[in-house]
Amino acid sequence: AETALSVAQTHVPSATRSLMNVVQPTPNPGSYEAVFQPWSAPLSKIIEGPVQYGDGAGGNLDGCARFPAESLAGKLVVVDWGGCFYSDQVRNIQDAGGVLAVIGLVNPDDRFAGSFGGGAPITIPSFMVSQATADILRTGSAVVRFDPNNVISRAGSMASTSSRGPALDSHLKPEIGAPGASVSAEAGTGTGQRPFSGTSGATPMVSGAAALVLQAHPALPGERLSPLEVKALLMNNADTEVLNKAGGALAPISRIGGGELRVDRAVAAPAAAWDEEHPTGALSFGFLDVADSEVSITKQVRLRNYSEEDITYQVTPSFRFNDDVDNGAVRITAPDTVQVEADQDTVFEVTLTIDGAKLRDNLMGSGAEGNNADFLTINEYDGYLILDDNRHPIHLAWHVLPRKAAQVSAQRTNLDFKGGFSDTIEL
């Protein structure tokens, strides 16, 4: 929905990514990322030992069936992802005496925190590892160490389960990110609490921020901030230094939009900026077929000053990634400065120009790499339009997904054959 403020999920500031240290076999020593399952017991001490795959005899490899009583006493166990709820897999390991459970992916997808399937609490730690890491553990000869202090911070990074745009209409979605993990009241209990995470947790975080922005901008009846203004204030003031994953590269604009929510900056902002044609605090130039010739698109930006002083902004278009700058296929231009009077609006133009001859080849397709997000990142161009008054800078995300296209035209001719005429098309 174009008017909605679509929300991505980032990690809470306290979030960490656990590292599993493989002690043996010697060809594969080192630290490997392991995603803690938040519905399981926290890792409170070092747990080290050999890892058993399923029942250790080639059976119950997904752990969805119950193991014989005490058959896993004191053991670390890896099982294959899938077949039943993750929590049921871990509970079966727990009930048979296992001390730690590892869920190993069976495809190249990224690791994630799975959902809790209900039932009795989980009292042992549980982690999910990638397919490649799980393959090391499935050999039956691996010895691993889990240390509660062996972690990396995930603050300011994307959750792997957060969706990515652009939307089907090629507009930029999601438009902002927010932490999505929390502890929530459990419906029907009166006093119970349970972990709650996902974009379903990040979205109410933004809803609460919107309420705070409205509260901070008291107005006469009929003059309250519009939903678009609140949306723009939140997007314009989000933090842009968001990583695609902990320790990785910056997240592309089509994953994080304006950035990670910063409600204090939105409340303090003296102005807001948004697309004059579309109700969002970003500039979506869409999905475009571009041949060798240049294509230019101009958008109008409305800038509204809520303060009692005139503001002059230095306007700087920026790219998210340096390889897009070096490629040179896309240019974005705007006025060097924009002035907006106290309690007034102004409109200025931003132009995006694409040189089709310099565009990269089309990497996306419907084949084996059809869901490879890296290819989307390579083919899209994005960044931020920064408006800086040397006191409180604001920004608009911008995004375009151009596709290198051939210059094809058709010409109609008549062909005489055996006394008759037929229309044909020559390409």
Side-chain angles (χ1 to χ4, degrees):
E2 197 174 47
T3 56
L5 178 51
S6 301
V7 183
Q9 182 195 359
T10 58
H11 288 290
V12 296
S14 60
T16 57
R17 168 64 58 87
S18 299
L19 296 175
M20 176 190 71
N21 186 255
V22 175
V23 181
Q24 294 178 2
T26 51
N28 303 103
S31 294
Y32 296 82
E33 292 189 14
V35 175
F36 174 68
Q37 302 301 297
W39 35 262
S40 67
L43 182 70
S44 58
K45 62 180 181 180
I46 294 175
I47 298 178
E48 181 176 347
V51 180
Q52 177 174 299
Y53 183 21
D55 65 5
N60 201 11
L61 297 183
D62 61 9
C64 288
R66 294 182 63 84
F67 295 93
E70 298 302 314
S71 64
L72 304 179
K75 294 183 177 181
L76 291 75
V77 181
V78 60
V79 292
D80 294 339
W81 168 68
C84 59
F85 281 115
Y86 320 117
S87 51
D88 289 343
Q89 295 174 292
V90 176
R91 187 181 292 106
N92 287 336
I93 295 171
Q94 164 189 301
D95 291 348
V99 296
L100 186 143
V102 179
I103 301 169
L105 288 177
V106 294
N107 56 39
D109 289 349
D110 199 7
R111 304 154 295 259
F112 60 91
S115 58
F116 181 70
I122 302 299
T123 58
I124 64 172
S126 176
F127 299 85
M128 180 181 287
V129 299
S130 70
Q131 181 182 26
T133 302
D135 286 344
I136 299 172
L137 308 184
R138 291 177 178 123
T139 62
S141 61
V143 176
V144 301
R145 170 194 289 254
F146 283 88
D147 184 339
N149 296 315
N150 190 18
V151 297
I152 56 175
S153 174
R154 304 177 80 184
S157 66
M158 300 297 303
S160 63
T161 51
S162 184
S163 299
R164 176 174 180 166
L168 292 178
D169 62 2
S170 76
H171 285 108
L172 181 61
K173 295 283 182 173
E175 295 156 297
I176 197 169
S182 61
V183 174
S184 300
E186 188 171 10
T189 65
T191 58
Q193 294 179 331
R194 66 184 298 177
F196 181 68
S197 63
T199 49
S200 297
T203 301
M205 186 78 70
V206 176
S207 299
L212 292 173
V213 170
L214 283 169
Q215 185 182 26
H217 284 261
L220 296 173
E223 295 184 3
R224 184 176 292 277
L225 295 176
S226 70
L228 172 56
E229 290 175 273
V230 176
K231 180 177 178 177
L233 281 166
L234 293 172
M235 293 177 65
N236 293 165
N237 294 279
D239 187 81
T240 61
E241 296 300 308
V242 181
L243 302 181
N244 210 30
K245 64 179 181 179
L250 288 171
I253 302 299
S254 56
R255 285 207 79 189
I256 193 59
E260 186 179 57
L261 178 70
R262 292 293 186 272
V263 66
D264 55 336
R265 299 180 192 173
V267 165
W274 59 85
D275 187 327
E276 177 76 337
E277 183 180 0
H278 299 285
T280 184
L283 300 175
S284 295
F285 291 93
F287 173 74
L288 302 170
D289 281 325
V290 183
D292 290 344
S293 57
E294 286 193 346
V295 172
S296 292
I297 301 175
T298 297
K299 284 185 168 289
Q300 292 187 320
V301 175
R302 181 165 293 277
L303 177 62
R304 180 163 295 170
N305 185 354
Y306 301 106
S307 75
E308 298 178 354
E309 299 178 1
D310 295 351
I311 304 176
T312 299
Y313 284 104
Q314 300 289 325
V315 183
T316 305
S318 68
F319 284 79
R320 188 66 165 162
F321 301 107
N322 289 331
D323 61 342
D324 288 344
V325 178
D326 297 338
N327 171 252
V330 172
R331 304 189 307 275
I332 185 165
T333 57
D336 292 335
T337 61
V338 175
Q339 185 177 38
V340 57
E341 297 179 358
D343 200 28
Q344 297 295 318
D345 293 12
T346 191
V347 174
F348 64 94
E349 292 186 341
V350 178
T351 299
L352 183 89
T353 303
I354 305 173
D355 184 345
K358 295 181 180 179
L359 284 175
R360 303 180 179 99
D361 291 337
N362 304 319
L363 298 177
M364 293 177 291
S366 57
E369 300 292 342
N371 65 344
N372 190 328
D374 292 338
F375 289 165
L376 174 56
T377 301
I378 292 172
N379 277 141
E380 64 188 0
Y381 295 78
D382 52 17
Y384 290 104
L385 185 72
I386 301 168
L387 284 68
D388 192 354
D389 65 344
N390 293 319
R391 290 187 297 179
H392 191 114
I394 60 176
H395 61 265
L396 293 95
W398 66 268
H399 173 271
V400 65
L401 182 57
R403 181 171 62 179
K404 196 171 189 177
Q407 186 70 55
V408 178
S409 61
Q411 179 180 1
R412 184 176 295 275
T413 64
N414 289 325
L415 178 65
D416 184 5
F417 66 100
K418 294 184 179 179
F421 290 91
S422 174
D423 286 339
T424 64
I425 299 296
E426 292 182 356
L427 298 180

